[in-house]
Amino acid sequence: MSEVCRGLSYAHRKTRDGQPMGIVHRDVSPQNILIGVEGEVKVTDFGIAKAWGRRENTKNGYIKGKIDFMSPEQANGLAVDPRSDIFSTGTVLYMLVTGKRPFDAENQLESLLRTQEADFVPPETVNPGLSPAVAAIVNKAMRKDPQERYTSAAEMMAALEDVLRHDYGSAGQSELRAWLEALGKRDGVPPISQQVGAPLDQEATEIG
């Protein structure tokens, strides 16, 4: 997830002619986070990404993205900025550390209403054994008020890397590659890019 933040930070800081492009991914979710066979992490599918000032068909009140991973402002059809992606990154991290979706409900409407209010059970309640430092990162990233979240993806990345160093021992690309190899041996299934008939440019395997 720290590498996801790195990718988002790059997109958020992208400029054109010296001016910020204001890119917001708007669909950060497990389906759009890929791990390559060499252990590199990629944030993919900027298909609904929005750049400030760009003309497009999206109107106020019209929702795009996956409900389970939206920010409250996005779920309410309001204007979004990079802090919306930070919230969505927090929801993915929540799912990874608890095994549950934060806004899961019996139907989509209830899930949407919970998302709009940032109504979720704290991760440390769902997983009592969760590191307090990790729980703090999730809770800060998923604040309803964007001003109370991390100010940037780079700031969230720094917090995650600090936890990795002090609580877990930093995991890098080599560890991710070994993890993927172990998964392949356990499941008896090679990565997507190594399967017969796989597109040459699909050199990643999905997580989530």
Side-chain angles (χ1 to χ4, degrees), residues 7-8 11 23-25 43-50 54 85:
L8 289 173
I23 294 174
V24 183
H25 189 286
V43 181
T44 66
D45 196 0
F46 277 74
I48 67 169
K50 181 178 181 179
R54 191 188 71 184
D85 286 345

Side-chain angles (χ1 to χ4, degrees), residues 119-141:
D119 177 18
F120 62 91
V121 179
E124 62 270 28
T125 300
V126 180
N127 178 9
L130 182 62
S131 160
V134 175
I137 291 174
V138 174
N139 287 320
K140 183 171 182 176

Side-chain angles (χ1 to χ4, degrees), residues 47 58 67 94 102 135 154 157 161 205:
T58 303
I67 292 175
Y94 181 107
M157 177 183 69
E161 289 182 339
T205 183

Side-chain angles (χ1 to χ4, degrees), residues 34-45:
L34 307 180
I35 299 181
V37 294
E38 295 300 322
E40 69 276 17
V41 179
K42 300 179 184 295
V43 181
T44 66
D45 196 0

